[in-house]
Amino acid sequence: MSESPSTDVQATLRFFLEIDKLKEVDRRNFLASSSRRENTAEHSWHLGIAAMIMAPFATEPVDLATAVCMALVHDIVEIDAGDTFAYSQSADELASKEAREQAAADRLFGLLPPAMGQRFRDLWDEYERGETPEARYVMAVDRMAPMLLNTVEGGTTWREHGITRDRVIARNGPHIEPALPAVWAQALAMLDAAAAAGKVATD
Amino acid sequence: MSESPSTDVQATLRFFLEIDKLKEVDRRNFLASSSRRENTAEHSWHLGIAAMIMAPFATEPVDLATAVCMALVHDIVEIDAGDTFAYSQSADELASKEAREQAAADRLFGLLPPAMGQRFRDLWDEYERGETPEARYVMAVDRMAPMLLNTVEGGTTWREHGITRDRVIARNGPHIEPALPAVWAQALAMLDAAAAAGKVATD
């Protein structure tokens, strides 16, 4: 149930300005150029584009509008919950991640007029559950993006955290390969070239 | 006409990695927090979200998938052509802008497999021509975003360039008001509050 139009506009602008903070949430990986670490807002843009351009290689038919919107929305909770490193093995960090992200979704999507807030919440829930073709596809693209950036950048983040080629494959392959097998094959070839060049540890 | 699937995958990944450079194209305006200037990739993400959340206030019906994809794609040419300041009055800069952007579109969208490259080119051309409801809507949102950020940030960029309240209105109102009148009214109220607080010059 929405309030007056002007209340809805005010709520919409408040949300628009609040999510500006996603530009200041840093991720672990660097840009392809190595100049600095990536932030979550620009990562989300890159995923939206990736969802558009990788669609021809997807194994399941996906609704592109849903996938692109999901890519843009799926990390907004990091404004409150922070970015959890993909290779984290901290039991505490992983255990608290869901509770932190649920609270973040309540607060952030709750800033929007109710109908729009529900739409964002539904997209985020769908992504988190991972049970639809669109959620599986966006999750594959979300794993693909930092894997590619880390590979071409020279593996700095992986070296910082002692992540080997085999762990990269074990962590990402199960999400990417079923959804985007041809893209996975090419990413793997690039990873192996980086390993052969001594940029990625092999044991 | 596409090449083999693996050639198309390689072309797609080359484009994905090339557009990473958009994260290093700086705009004039600052983030809401004032911590630094905004880059074009994160701006494009913010526009994609804005296209989603402002749709209920649009005067013309818009196809949301087209609008969101257009928002994500419309500034990719800045990788080669750079960001042209919205208030630029440099005749040389404005005269060369179109040629620089057309060459950028040829090179960048030309990296994609032909069918996808054409799709990106069509979205960009549609935005540039400004003749469809989606193009007018994305243009309105594209003017709204930096106006809001500059207003809440405290007007640093406008002060740097001697931009007064009246010039902000003259530059942005004709694009925003017809497409998003209720949002424009609220943005104007915020601008006037900033002017009353001495953050935006009134003459």
Side-chain angles (χ1 to χ4, degrees):
Chain A
M1 191 169 62
S2 279
E3 305 292 328
S4 74
S6 78
T7 308
D8 281 355
V9 169
Q10 285 168 16
T12 299
L13 296 189
R14 209 151 36 228
F15 178 79
F16 175 82
L17 291 168
E18 179 67 16
I19 63 169
D20 199 58
K21 293 176 182 167
L22 200 62
K23 301 169 188 171
E24 299 184 89
V25 175
D26 278 348
R27 292 164 50 82
R28 305 297 170 104
N29 63 280
F30 285 81
L31 301 187
S33 72
S34 284
S35 63
R36 60 168 172 80
R37 293 188 201 268
E38 188 182 39
N39 73 60
T40 301
E42 63 199 5
H43 158 72
S44 300
W45 163 77
H46 215 170
L47 280 199
I49 297 280
M52 294 173 68
I53 63 179
M54 293 187 186
F57 313 111
T59 47
E60 297 183 281
V62 293
D63 178 77
L64 196 64
T66 301
V68 170
C69 290
M70 193 183 287
L72 300 186
V73 165
H74 86 290
D75 270 343
I76 288 177
V77 294
E78 292 188 4
I79 289 170
D80 287 353
D83 179 51
T84 302
F85 185 42
Y87 297 86
S88 174
Q89 291 184 316
S90 154
D92 281 358
E93 189 178 11
L94 294 172
S96 71
K97 181 175 187 273
E98 189 181 339
R100 281 182 288 122
E101 292 192 345
Q102 288 289 343
D106 289 347
R107 184 184 82 78
L108 288 158
F109 302 144
L111 295 173
L112 283 165
M116 188 61 71
Q118 191 59 52
R119 179 143 188 265
F120 273 58
R121 182 66 184 237
D122 290 346
L123 276 170
W124 181 71
D125 284 343
E126 183 179 343
Y127 176 78
E128 288 293 311
R129 283 196 303 271
E131 292 168 355
T132 60
E134 288 75 18
R136 286 188 287 268
Y137 174 65
V138 173
M139 205 166 285
V141 171
D142 190 32
R143 296 301 176 96
M144 188 83 278
M147 181 176 162
L148 288 168
L149 291 183
N150 275 319
T151 299
V152 302
E153 183 273 331
T156 304
T157 309
W158 290 334
R159 264 198 309 284
E160 284 176 346
H161 295 273
I163 310 292
T164 61
R165 168 193 179 277
D166 289 357
R167 259 188 87 196
V168 172
I169 294 170
R171 174 80 189 157
N172 297 300
H175 291 279
I176 303 172
E177 191 171 19
L180 290 163
V183 178
W184 173 250
Q186 182 62 27
L188 201 53
M190 291 166 69
L191 180 70
D192 281 336
K199 301 285 192 183
V200 179
T202 49
D203 56 21
Chain B
M1 192 168 58
S2 278
E3 305 292 328
S4 75
S6 79
T7 308
D8 281 355
V9 169
Q10 285 168 16
T12 298
L13 295 190
R14 211 153 33 229
F15 179 79
F16 175 82
L17 291 167
E18 179 68 16
I19 63 169
D20 200 57
K21 294 176 182 168
L22 200 61
K23 301 168 188 171
E24 299 184 89
V25 175
D26 278 348
R27 292 164 49 82
R28 305 296 170 105
N29 62 282
F30 286 81
L31 301 187
S33 72
S34 285
S35 63
R36 60 168 173 80
R37 293 187 202 268
E38 188 183 38
N39 72 60
T40 303
E42 64 198 5
H43 158 72
S44 299
W45 163 78
H46 215 171
L47 280 200
I49 297 280
M52 294 173 68
I53 63 179
M54 293 186 187
F57 312 112
T59 46
E60 295 183 282
V62 291
D63 179 78
L64 197 63
T66 300
V68 171
C69 290
M70 192 183 288
L72 300 186
V73 166
H74 85 291
D75 270 343
I76 287 177
V77 294
E78 292 188 5
I79 289 170
D80 287 354
D83 179 51
T84 303
F85 186 42
Y87 297 86
S88 174
Q89 292 183 314
S90 154
D92 282 357
E93 189 177 9
L94 294 172
S96 70
K97 180 174 187 274
E98 190 181 339
R100 282 183 287 122
E101 293 192 344
Q102 289 288 343
D106 288 347
R107 185 184 82 79
L108 289 158
F109 302 144
L111 295 173
L112 284 165
M116 188 61 71
Q118 190 60 52
R119 177 140 191 267
F120 273 58
R121 182 67 184 234
D122 289 346
L123 276 170
W124 181 71
D125 284 342
E126 183 179 343
Y127 176 78
E128 288 292 311
R129 281 196 302 270
E131 291 169 354
T132 61
E134 288 75 19
R136 286 188 287 268
Y137 175 66
V138 173
M139 205 166 284
V141 171
D142 189 33
R143 297 301 176 95
M144 187 83 277
M147 181 176 162
L148 288 168
L149 291 182
N150 275 320
T151 299
V152 302
E153 183 272 332
T156 304
T157 310
W158 290 333
R159 262 197 310 284
E160 284 176 347
H161 296 272
I163 310 291
T164 61
R165 167 193 179 277
D166 289 356
R167 258 187 88 195
V168 172
I169 294 171
R171 174 80 189 155
N172 297 298
H175 291 279
I176 304 172
E177 192 171 20
L180 290 163
V183 178
W184 173 250
Q186 183 61 26
L188 201 53
M190 291 167 69
L191 180 70
D192 281 337
K199 302 284 191 183
V200 178
T202 47
D203 55 23

